[in-house]
Amino acid sequence: MVVSVNIILEKYASVLNGSLSYSNADRWAWKMMQLFDDGKVEFEPKEDEELIWQLIQYLYGIDMPDARDRLKPSRTNLDIIDFLKEKNVYNLLHTIKK
């Protein structure tokens, strides 16, 4: 499977617009990790591999509950946006098909 920043940003856009649940985003990230372990992931372009992994790793565990209120996720959409801004990819979300 070929994975790019844009493919992962599609997942983030879906989470932020509510069409993908935090839980399903977590499961998608887990699947990507399993495919990588099986040698079935190709990064496109190769020089974005580190960023791609950071984006995948942030999605993995995104559905973890808050330590103080187990009914709420530990991360919010605002946390996700801040993370994407920190990685300098938030501005790319508007180019993603939703």
Side-chain angles (χ1 to χ4, degrees), residues 35-82:
L35 288 171
F36 178 78
D37 288 346
D38 292 340
K40 297 178 181 175
V41 171
E42 181 182 332
F43 300 98
E44 179 71 30
K46 182 72 173 155
E47 54 269 11
D48 284 348
E49 180 175 349
E50 183 177 341
L51 173 61
I52 291 168
W53 266 120
Q54 290 170 352
L55 295 170
I56 290 171
Q57 289 172 339
Y58 192 86
L59 281 179
Y60 178 64
I62 200 167
D63 62 341
M64 296 280 293
D66 185 84
R68 287 174 263 161
D69 184 348
R70 306 294 288 167
L71 298 176
K72 293 181 180 179
S74 62
R75 294 183 180 140
T76 66
N77 282 2
L78 291 177
D79 295 324
I80 294 168
I81 291 168
D82 286 344

Side-chain angles (χ1 to χ4, degrees), residues 17-34:
N17 74 27
S19 64
L20 181 66
S21 71
Y22 280 32
S23 179
N24 285 337
D26 167 81
R27 293 297 81 206
W28 180 86
W30 173 249
K31 178 183 170 191
M32 292 299 100
M33 292 177 171
Q34 295 301 302

Side-chain angles (χ1 to χ4, degrees), residues 4-14 16 44-45 48 51-52 55 81 83-98:
S4 67
V5 170
N6 283 346
I7 288 170
I8 298 171
L9 286 180
E10 288 175 9
K11 299 301 178 184
Y12 278 97
S14 295
L16 292 172
E44 179 71 30
D48 284 348
L51 173 61
I52 291 168
L55 295 170
I81 291 168
F83 170 76
L84 294 175
K85 285 179 178 178
E86 176 185 307
K87 296 299 171 190
N88 296 315
V89 295
Y90 180 73
N91 59 329
L92 299 175
L93 280 180
H94 74 280
T95 65
I96 303 298
K97 294 180 183 175
K98 297 173 187 159

